[in-house]
Every structure is written in structure tokens, then in C-alpha cells.
Amino acid sequence: MSNGSALTVYRSILESIKSDGLYKDERIISSPQSGMVKVSFPEGSAAKEIINLCANNYLGLSSHPDVIKAAHQGLDSRGFGMSSVRFICGTQDIHRTLEKKMAEFLGMEDSILFSSCFDANGALFETLLQAEDAIFSDKLVHASIIDGIRLSKAQRHIYEHANMNDLEEKLREHAVKARIRLIMTDGVFSMDGDMAPLDKIVELAEKYDCLVAVDDSHATGFIGRTGRGVHEHYNVMKKVDIITTTCGKALGGATGGVIASKREIVELLKQRARPYLFSNALMPAVVNATIKVLEILSASTERRDTLERHTNFWRNSLKEAGFDLKAGNTPIVPVMLYDAKLAQEVSRDLYAEGIFAVGFFYPVVPKGEARIRTQLSAALEQSDLERARDAFVKVGRKHKVIK
Ligand SMILES: *Cc1c(COP(=O)(O)O)cnc(C)c1O
């Protein structure tokens, strides 16, 4: 390495991350993703089976036999890779099938696939908005939305988290000056597990003539009566213009992002979106398996219903035990500890008790807001949750987090 000072700089940054208690150690899993996983931690130590409370495997489909079978069928019938972007020679029949099925599931006219939702959000704003346009976004939107907005030349107005008075104030002041106005929010906020007030947002959008875009990555498949998402939950399915979401969470959890919208918007994205034009097509096995997931979810709400029961039990159990939870009604249940080191220690002690629950701290949440983010899954059994509750109580008492 020719620039000797570079490594010195990086070493000192790493040192300060460690001394601040903000260093993230990865747990090594040697089993499929599921309600129970085999983990070795620290790396190299003997692996053990533990209860998983931190995957985005909400519906327990990551290792579902029918999903795996569909992936095999995709591999056998359409090959391993496409070696092309979509518009050159990377579009198979199943890519179009998935786009149509995804649109239908979300209640939209059409959809476009990306390698990830991070890419979908990277594509959205730059393609649809120019300098004469304006974005009104919630302060706590996902990092990929923040980056996507940075790539566009549109004016940006940030409203306080879920604060409709603040949103309206910003709309009143800035909306008339813009050609196209777009309100952007997460459907479910990943760190706090609360839902955006989408019923109120669409009202304001009508009043100020705005497009509404929702990133439903933590909702697609399980929020709403039939799992369509936050727009179904609030009964505003026809009033949301754009949905971005991921195939990498509830929908089997492999990989892939989606933008679903009006026909013209999808068409324009296919012509202009840089992460679509300059990045490879999704692998056929993933596409075929995700089609299967949508079929499973369209046939029955059993999995989302199980998840809802688990969520209610878990929230009530922790609340009764005296833990400080972020309010909400989604399967993301953050247990607030505030201190990063404490969050690390609690996570380590839970691991010793056979529970996989990771501490979250700066920079993924604000400083002083460290937490253990627990997430429910339909892959868990009621008995797993009871064991997990007992472990939380034991460890919580040890650290004097509860009485
Ligand atoms: C996870 C997530 C993403 C990123 O999705 P990937 O498909 O993993 O890139 C984007 N937005 C939100 C709100 C997310 O939670």
C-alpha cells in the first residue's frame, strides 16, 4: 500500500468504534434461516441451537419446503444466472410473471424488479423528479431512501417523524412552488416498529396534490388483513401511488427489490432507472421461488395470523414483565436499554440463555437510544416464545433493567 497514512487513519477509527462499545461482531450461523438456528459465537466456538428473535423472516418462509422446491425448479428450468441486465438479454418469462403477480398482490398496475430494495430506492427519486420538483420525507426513513433522495436534484423537505402538523406546514409553504410533489415514508419503521399514519398522509396528499410513495419492506406479506401492507391496514389501497418493497424479508428472504405503481411510472423506470439499466437481472431461482411465495400468501392468511398472535403474546409478556418497549403493533418489538454497552451485554447474556437477539446502537439508531430489537416470526412456536420470555426476565433482572 503506497499511502501509508491511510491504514493508520482506518486503525484509529476502528479503535474508537471499539472503545465506544459500538463494534459489531457477526454471529456465524451454520443452519438454514429459521425459528431455531445453529450459531457459534464467538467465531470458532462450538455451535448451538438457539431461538432466533432477530431475522426479518416474518412469515417463516425463508426455508419453507415449497419455496425451496420452487427455487430448485427455477434453477433446473431457467439456469443459474442471466449474465445480462434486463433490457439487453436478461428478461425471462418468469421475470415478467413475478412483476405482474407482485403488482396484483400490492394492488398496483405494474411493477419493476431490482437487485434489492436499496437499489429500488436508489432508482426512484432520480428517475422521477427533477430540480423543479419536491420531496417531503419523514425524518426516520430508511438509509436507502436518504441515499436515493441525495441522488436526485429535487428539493428536499424533511418533516418530524410521523408528525402530520409538521408535514402540513411544510406542504403549505413549499408545495405550490414545485411541479411534482412527492411524500415519501416507510410503511413500518424498521428500528422503532411503528407504522406511518398513512390514512392521514393520503388525506394531506389529496389536499396538496401530491404523489404518495411508501417503502413497505417491513410490511409486505403480513401487515393488513390479507398481508398486502400498510395501505391495506389503513384501507387506502387505491390512494398510494408508489410502493417500494423487498423480497429479502417476509417474502422468502432471498434477495430482490420492487417498485410497484402506475403503468407510466413503471415504464419510465424501465427506460431511465440507473440501478435497473446498469445492474444484473435477478437470478431465476429467486424469481421462481418468489412467485411461489406470492401464491402461498394469496391462498391463505394462516402465516400472517400466526405472526399476529405471536406479536400480541410477545408484546404483552414483555410489558407485563416491566420492560420499556417502543409502542406499536407490528412484529418489530424494540426493548429499550438506551446504553450501547448495556445492549451488547444483555445480548451476550441472552445468547448464553439460548436466545438470539442482537443489540442495536449508533449509527443504526441515534446515540443514547440503544436497544435490543426483537422480531417475531411465524416459524417460532408458542413454547419458544415462553422460553424467550423467561430468558429476558432472568437477564433483565440481572442487569437491573426490570425489578
Ligand atoms: C431492508 C430495507 C431495505 C433494503 O432492502 P434490501 O432488499 O435488503 O436492499 C429498504 N428499505 C427498508 C425500509 C428496509 O427495511
mmCIF file with all atom_site columns, all heavy atoms in Angstrom, residues 258-270:
data_model
loop_
_atom_site.group_PDB
_atom_site.id
_atom_site.type_symbol
_atom_site.label_atom_id
_atom_site.label_alt_id
_atom_site.label_comp_id
_atom_site.label_asym_id
_atom_site.label_entity_id
_atom_site.label_seq_id
_atom_site.pdbx_PDB_ins_code
_atom_site.Cartn_x
_atom_site.Cartn_y
_atom_site.Cartn_z
_atom_site.occupancy
_atom_site.B_iso_or_equiv
_atom_site.pdbx_formal_charge
_atom_site.auth_seq_id
_atom_site.auth_comp_id
_atom_site.auth_asym_id
_atom_site.auth_atom_id
_atom_site.pdbx_PDB_model_num
ATOM 1   N N   . VAL A 1 258 ? -38.470 -4.188 -5.405  1.00 0.00 ? 258 VAL A N   1
ATOM 2   C CA  . VAL A 1 258 ? -39.606 -3.958 -6.295  1.00 0.00 ? 258 VAL A CA  1
ATOM 3   C C   . VAL A 1 258 ? -40.054 -2.506 -6.192  1.00 0.00 ? 258 VAL A C   1
ATOM 4   O O   . VAL A 1 258 ? -40.034 -1.934 -5.096  1.00 0.00 ? 258 VAL A O   1
ATOM 5   C CB  . VAL A 1 258 ? -40.814 -4.836 -5.865  1.00 0.00 ? 258 VAL A CB  1
ATOM 6   C CG1 . VAL A 1 258 ? -42.012 -4.606 -6.778  1.00 0.00 ? 258 VAL A CG1 1
ATOM 7   C CG2 . VAL A 1 258 ? -40.441 -6.308 -5.816  1.00 0.00 ? 258 VAL A CG2 1
ATOM 8   N N   . ILE A 1 259 ? -40.442 -1.920 -7.334  1.00 0.00 ? 259 ILE A N   1
ATOM 9   C CA  . ILE A 1 259 ? -41.261 -0.713 -7.284  1.00 0.00 ? 259 ILE A CA  1
ATOM 10  C C   . ILE A 1 259 ? -42.554 -1.041 -8.015  1.00 0.00 ? 259 ILE A C   1
ATOM 11  O O   . ILE A 1 259 ? -42.532 -1.477 -9.168  1.00 0.00 ? 259 ILE A O   1
ATOM 12  C CB  . ILE A 1 259 ? -40.576 0.504  -7.959  1.00 0.00 ? 259 ILE A CB  1
ATOM 13  C CG1 . ILE A 1 259 ? -39.255 0.840  -7.244  1.00 0.00 ? 259 ILE A CG1 1
ATOM 14  C CG2 . ILE A 1 259 ? -41.515 1.721  -7.934  1.00 0.00 ? 259 ILE A CG2 1
ATOM 15  C CD1 . ILE A 1 259 ? -38.495 2.014  -7.869  1.00 0.00 ? 259 ILE A CD1 1
ATOM 16  N N   . ALA A 1 260 ? -43.680 -0.874 -7.324  1.00 0.00 ? 260 ALA A N   1
ATOM 17  C CA  . ALA A 1 260 ? -44.991 -1.118 -7.922  1.00 0.00 ? 260 ALA A CA  1
ATOM 18  C C   . ALA A 1 260 ? -45.718 0.206  -8.004  1.00 0.00 ? 260 ALA A C   1
ATOM 19  O O   . ALA A 1 260 ? -45.686 1.008  -7.070  1.00 0.00 ? 260 ALA A O   1
ATOM 20  C CB  . ALA A 1 260 ? -45.789 -2.099 -7.070  1.00 0.00 ? 260 ALA A CB  1
ATOM 21  N N   . SER A 1 261 ? -46.384 0.438  -9.161  1.00 0.00 ? 261 SER A N   1
ATOM 22  C CA  . SER A 1 261 ? -47.007 1.756  -9.345  1.00 0.00 ? 261 SER A CA  1
ATOM 23  C C   . SER A 1 261 ? -47.926 1.767  -10.553 1.00 0.00 ? 261 SER A C   1
ATOM 24  O O   . SER A 1 261 ? -48.312 0.712  -11.068 1.00 0.00 ? 261 SER A O   1
ATOM 25  C CB  . SER A 1 261 ? -45.896 2.811  -9.518  1.00 0.00 ? 261 SER A CB  1
ATOM 26  O OG  . SER A 1 261 ? -46.439 4.109  -9.506  1.00 0.00 ? 261 SER A OG  1
ATOM 27  N N   . LYS A 1 262 ? -48.253 2.963  -11.018 1.00 0.00 ? 262 LYS A N   1
ATOM 28  C CA  . LYS A 1 262 ? -48.997 3.155  -12.257 1.00 0.00 ? 262 LYS A CA  1
ATOM 29  C C   . LYS A 1 262 ? -48.143 2.687  -13.436 1.00 0.00 ? 262 LYS A C   1
ATOM 30  O O   . LYS A 1 262 ? -46.920 2.719  -13.373 1.00 0.00 ? 262 LYS A O   1
ATOM 31  C CB  . LYS A 1 262 ? -49.281 4.655  -12.454 1.00 0.00 ? 262 LYS A CB  1
ATOM 32  C CG  . LYS A 1 262 ? -49.984 5.312  -11.286 1.00 0.00 ? 262 LYS A CG  1
ATOM 33  C CD  . LYS A 1 262 ? -51.433 5.553  -11.602 1.00 0.00 ? 262 LYS A CD  1
ATOM 34  C CE  . LYS A 1 262 ? -52.105 6.382  -10.526 1.00 0.00 ? 262 LYS A CE  1
ATOM 35  N NZ  . LYS A 1 262 ? -52.231 5.673  -9.228  1.00 0.00 ? 262 LYS A NZ  1
ATOM 36  N N   . ARG A 1 263 ? -48.817 2.323  -14.517 1.00 0.00 ? 263 ARG A N   1
ATOM 37  C CA  . ARG A 1 263 ? -48.116 1.797  -15.689 1.00 0.00 ? 263 ARG A CA  1
ATOM 38  C C   . ARG A 1 263 ? -47.029 2.743  -16.196 1.00 0.00 ? 263 ARG A C   1
ATOM 39  O O   . ARG A 1 263 ? -45.912 2.345  -16.483 1.00 0.00 ? 263 ARG A O   1
ATOM 40  C CB  . ARG A 1 263 ? -49.148 1.517  -16.790 1.00 0.00 ? 263 ARG A CB  1
ATOM 41  C CG  . ARG A 1 263 ? -48.804 0.371  -17.684 1.00 0.00 ? 263 ARG A CG  1
ATOM 42  C CD  . ARG A 1 263 ? -50.007 -0.138 -18.458 1.00 0.00 ? 263 ARG A CD  1
ATOM 43  N NE  . ARG A 1 263 ? -50.859 -1.014 -17.662 1.00 0.00 ? 263 ARG A NE  1
ATOM 44  C CZ  . ARG A 1 263 ? -52.144 -0.771 -17.358 1.00 0.00 ? 263 ARG A CZ  1
ATOM 45  N NH1 . ARG A 1 263 ? -52.724 0.336  -17.769 1.00 0.00 ? 263 ARG A NH1 1
ATOM 46  N NH2 . ARG A 1 263 ? -52.835 -1.624 -16.633 1.00 0.00 ? 263 ARG A NH2 1
ATOM 47  N N   . GLU A 1 264 ? -47.362 4.033  -16.288 1.00 0.00 ? 264 GLU A N   1
ATOM 48  C CA  . GLU A 1 264 ? -46.405 5.002  -16.859 1.00 0.00 ? 264 GLU A CA  1
ATOM 49  C C   . GLU A 1 264 ? -45.160 5.142  -15.996 1.00 0.00 ? 264 GLU A C   1
ATOM 50  O O   . GLU A 1 264 ? -44.057 5.324  -16.509 1.00 0.00 ? 264 GLU A O   1
ATOM 51  C CB  . GLU A 1 264 ? -47.052 6.390  -16.998 1.00 0.00 ? 264 GLU A CB  1
ATOM 52  C CG  . GLU A 1 264 ? -48.200 6.477  -17.983 1.00 0.00 ? 264 GLU A CG  1
ATOM 53  C CD  . GLU A 1 264 ? -49.521 5.980  -17.409 1.00 0.00 ? 264 GLU A CD  1
ATOM 54  O OE1 . GLU A 1 264 ? -49.556 5.484  -16.246 1.00 0.00 ? 264 GLU A OE1 1
ATOM 55  O OE2 . GLU A 1 264 ? -50.536 6.055  -18.130 1.00 0.00 ? 264 GLU A OE2 1
ATOM 56  N N   . ILE A 1 265 ? -45.354 5.087  -14.686 1.00 0.00 ? 265 ILE A N   1
ATOM 57  C CA  . ILE A 1 265 ? -44.214 5.249  -13.779 1.00 0.00 ? 265 ILE A CA  1
ATOM 58  C C   . ILE A 1 265 ? -43.281 4.042  -13.908 1.00 0.00 ? 265 ILE A C   1
ATOM 59  O O   . ILE A 1 265 ? -42.062 4.188  -14.013 1.00 0.00 ? 265 ILE A O   1
ATOM 60  C CB  . ILE A 1 265 ? -44.711 5.467  -12.333 1.00 0.00 ? 265 ILE A CB  1
ATOM 61  C CG1 . ILE A 1 265 ? -45.333 6.878  -12.229 1.00 0.00 ? 265 ILE A CG1 1
ATOM 62  C CG2 . ILE A 1 265 ? -43.579 5.291  -11.318 1.00 0.00 ? 265 ILE A CG2 1
ATOM 63  C CD1 . ILE A 1 265 ? -45.900 7.235  -10.882 1.00 0.00 ? 265 ILE A CD1 1
ATOM 64  N N   . VAL A 1 266 ? -43.852 2.847  -13.969 1.00 0.00 ? 266 VAL A N   1
ATOM 65  C CA  . VAL A 1 266 ? -43.029 1.643  -14.132 1.00 0.00 ? 266 VAL A CA  1
ATOM 66  C C   . VAL A 1 266 ? -42.312 1.680  -15.482 1.00 0.00 ? 266 VAL A C   1
ATOM 67  O O   . VAL A 1 266 ? -41.119 1.361  -15.592 1.00 0.00 ? 266 VAL A O   1
ATOM 68  C CB  . VAL A 1 266 ? -43.897 0.371  -13.993 1.00 0.00 ? 266 VAL A CB  1
ATOM 69  C CG1 . VAL A 1 266 ? -43.106 -0.874 -14.384 1.00 0.00 ? 266 VAL A CG1 1
ATOM 70  C CG2 . VAL A 1 266 ? -44.418 0.251  -12.558 1.00 0.00 ? 266 VAL A CG2 1
ATOM 71  N N   . GLU A 1 267 ? -43.038 2.127  -16.512 1.00 0.00 ? 267 GLU A N   1
ATOM 72  C CA  . GLU A 1 267 ? -42.459 2.198  -17.860 1.00 0.00 ? 267 GLU A CA  1
ATOM 73  C C   . GLU A 1 267 ? -41.271 3.163  -17.890 1.00 0.00 ? 267 GLU A C   1
ATOM 74  O O   . GLU A 1 267 ? -40.212 2.851  -18.449 1.00 0.00 ? 267 GLU A O   1
ATOM 75  C CB  . GLU A 1 267 ? -43.554 2.664  -18.823 1.00 0.00 ? 267 GLU A CB  1
ATOM 76  C CG  . GLU A 1 267 ? -43.285 2.368  -20.272 1.00 0.00 ? 267 GLU A CG  1
ATOM 77  C CD  . GLU A 1 267 ? -44.462 2.809  -21.153 1.00 0.00 ? 267 GLU A CD  1
ATOM 78  O OE1 . GLU A 1 267 ? -45.618 2.873  -20.659 1.00 0.00 ? 267 GLU A OE1 1
ATOM 79  O OE2 . GLU A 1 267 ? -44.205 3.104  -22.340 1.00 0.00 ? 267 GLU A OE2 1
ATOM 80  N N   . LEU A 1 268 ? -41.442 4.318  -17.267 1.00 0.00 ? 268 LEU A N   1
ATOM 81  C CA  . LEU A 1 268 ? -40.358 5.303  -17.243 1.00 0.00 ? 268 LEU A CA  1
ATOM 82  C C   . LEU A 1 268 ? -39.149 4.767  -16.465 1.00 0.00 ? 268 LEU A C   1
ATOM 83  O O   . LEU A 1 268 ? -38.003 4.951  -16.888 1.00 0.00 ? 268 LEU A O   1
ATOM 84  C CB  . LEU A 1 268 ? -40.863 6.619  -16.625 1.00 0.00 ? 268 LEU A CB  1
ATOM 85  C CG  . LEU A 1 268 ? -39.840 7.764  -16.560 1.00 0.00 ? 268 LEU A CG  1
ATOM 86  C CD1 . LEU A 1 268 ? -39.294 8.103  -17.947 1.00 0.00 ? 268 LEU A CD1 1
ATOM 87  C CD2 . LEU A 1 268 ? -40.464 9.003  -15.919 1.00 0.00 ? 268 LEU A CD2 1
ATOM 88  N N   . LEU A 1 269 ? -39.419 4.078  -15.355 1.00 0.00 ? 269 LEU A N   1
ATOM 89  C CA  . LEU A 1 269 ? -38.313 3.497  -14.575 1.00 0.00 ? 269 LEU A CA  1
ATOM 90  C C   . LEU A 1 269 ? -37.540 2.482  -15.429 1.00 0.00 ? 269 LEU A C   1
ATOM 91  O O   . LEU A 1 269 ? -36.309 2.414  -15.370 1.00 0.00 ? 269 LEU A O   1
ATOM 92  C CB  . LEU A 1 269 ? -38.846 2.825  -13.300 1.00 0.00 ? 269 LEU A CB  1
ATOM 93  C CG  . LEU A 1 269 ? -39.286 3.795  -12.195 1.00 0.00 ? 269 LEU A CG  1
ATOM 94  C CD1 . LEU A 1 269 ? -40.191 3.090  -11.183 1.00 0.00 ? 269 LEU A CD1 1
ATOM 95  C CD2 . LEU A 1 269 ? -38.079 4.395  -11.472 1.00 0.00 ? 269 LEU A CD2 1
ATOM 96  N N   . LYS A 1 270 ? -38.249 1.716  -16.247 1.00 0.00 ? 270 LYS A N   1
ATOM 97  C CA  . LYS A 1 270 ? -37.566 0.726  -17.091 1.00 0.00 ? 270 LYS A CA  1
ATOM 98  C C   . LYS A 1 270 ? -36.704 1.395  -18.159 1.00 0.00 ? 270 LYS A C   1
ATOM 99  O O   . LYS A 1 270 ? -35.724 0.822  -18.620 1.00 0.00 ? 270 LYS A O   1
ATOM 100 C CB  . LYS A 1 270 ? -38.589 -0.229 -17.720 1.00 0.00 ? 270 LYS A CB  1
ATOM 101 C CG  . LYS A 1 270 ? -39.168 -1.188 -16.697 1.00 0.00 ? 270 LYS A CG  1
ATOM 102 C CD  . LYS A 1 270 ? -39.769 -2.443 -17.312 1.00 0.00 ? 270 LYS A CD  1
ATOM 103 C CE  . LYS A 1 270 ? -40.033 -3.459 -16.202 1.00 0.00 ? 270 LYS A CE  1
ATOM 104 N NZ  . LYS A 1 270 ? -40.608 -4.712 -16.693 1.00 0.00 ? 270 LYS A NZ  1
#
